[in-house]
Amino acid sequence: DLLEIDAASHNSVDDIRDLVEKVQYTPQRGRYKVYVIDEVHMVTKQGFNALLKTLEEPPDHVVFVLATTEPHKVVETIRSRAQHLELGLLSAEELRALVDEVVADAGLEVDEEGRAHAVRAGRGSARDTLSALDRVVAGGMTSDDSTVADLLGALADTDATAALSAVATGIARGREPRVLGEALLAALRDAFLVRMGVPPEQLSDADRSRAESFAESVTPAAITRALEMFGSALVDMRRAPDPR
């Protein structure tokens, strides 16, 4: 028996007490009952205290899987009683194999451009890659926004007019300024790592080519300076009346 609990909406002490009561029942099928508590860091302190005893001495038929993207927010008493498994991002090759397998298994008609787009959009995340593939199948979203590439080109050429034009074009396409800034920051980081000889495994061929081209046209110091400035700009955007 596999049961998933969303701790973001079931995090009170009453929710946890109800869970503790139910774990005592033996599984209807198989030997185990596996409880996946997603976003477990959202559980309240009182909820963690109610779970602690059961987590220390669970029934023989129960397995707990506590999933979170913010393990530092899980109280130490819980973390000290759990085995830690850190899940990393996947390489572009692994994601492409996943996309090909899903397309074949589901009998989907997705061309090479659409598959490459899904891998690029996923940036190492299997879930995000499959979500992008869903969008490709549903709406044929295979065209990638060229705004970030245009901004990188403007930076390399120190062309302020081209940079302002790229921002305007990106916003006209529906990109939020902050989202655009985060995408540019990620592209700059990729270029810096490529220049240092340690490219991320999650880079698709197109992203790697873009990073290499930009890294060859500017110095590492220029990339570092750009990372610092855009990082500060993203913080300032939160209070800016016009984030552009």
Side-chain angles (χ1 to χ4, degrees):
D1 287 356
L2 177 64
L3 303 98
E4 181 180 358
I5 299 169
D6 178 17
S9 54
H10 299 84
N11 55 12
S12 70
V13 64
D14 290 335
D15 290 323
I16 299 302
R17 284 173 177 165
D18 181 59
L19 167 65
V20 169
E21 181 180 344
K22 290 180 178 177
V23 300
Q24 307 302 325
Y25 301 114
T26 56
Q28 296 177 357
R29 301 178 300 276
R31 296 170 53 195
Y32 293 99
K33 292 178 76 172
V34 180
Y35 287 89
V36 179
I37 306 180
D38 196 18
E39 301 296 346
V40 70
H41 65 273
M42 299 288 287
V43 175
T44 64
K45 184 176 181 180
Q46 293 79 8
F48 277 130
N49 289 336
L51 179 63
L52 185 59
K53 182 64 175 178
T54 302
L55 199 64
E56 283 184 326
E57 300 176 5
D60 291 340
H61 61 268
V62 171
V63 176
F64 286 106
V65 179
L66 312 180
T68 177
T69 52
E70 301 183 65
H72 59 282
K73 291 186 178 180
V74 180
V75 297
E76 179 59 29
T77 51
I78 297 294
R79 283 191 290 155
S80 64
R81 290 161 172 80
Q83 180 182 9
H84 294 227
L85 301 173
E86 294 188 7
L87 307 182
L89 297 175
L90 302 176
S91 68
E93 291 76 14
E94 289 172 313
L95 290 177
R96 179 52 192 260
L98 172 65
V99 168
D100 290 343
E101 179 183 352
V102 170
V103 168
D105 184 63
L108 304 175
E109 293 185 6
V110 182
D111 59 17
E112 175 63 28
E113 185 181 2
R115 299 183 192 204
H117 170 78
V119 173
R120 270 195 300 274
R123 295 192 65 83
S125 166
R127 177 178 61 183
D128 292 347
T129 297
L130 293 180
S131 294
L133 181 62
D134 279 341
R135 294 194 296 272
V136 169
V137 173
M141 296 177 58
T142 59
S143 60
D144 286 304
D145 191 348
S146 62
T147 305
V148 171
D150 294 341
L151 281 170
L152 290 177
L155 285 174
D157 297 335
T158 60
D159 188 338
T161 300
L164 291 171
S165 175
V167 170
T169 301
I171 291 176
R173 289 172 174 167
R175 301 290 295 274
E176 290 290 334
R178 181 170 182 82
V179 173
L180 192 58
E182 290 173 346
L184 179 58
L185 199 65
L188 286 168
R189 177 181 177 275
D190 291 341
F192 179 78
L193 292 176
V194 166
R195 184 62 182 264
M196 293 295 103
V198 285
E201 293 184 354
Q202 294 78 35
L203 280 183
S204 64
D205 292 340
D207 288 341
R208 185 186 297 269
S209 177
R210 182 182 69 183
E212 290 173 347
S213 176
F214 179 73
E216 291 172 357
S217 61
V218 297
T219 64
I223 301 177
T224 302
R225 176 65 175 153
L227 283 167
E228 292 173 349
M229 293 186 69
F230 282 112
S232 298
L234 282 172
V235 175
D236 294 339
M237 275 185 190
R238 297 172 184 170
R239 298 183 297 275
D242 185 353
R244 286 174 296 180

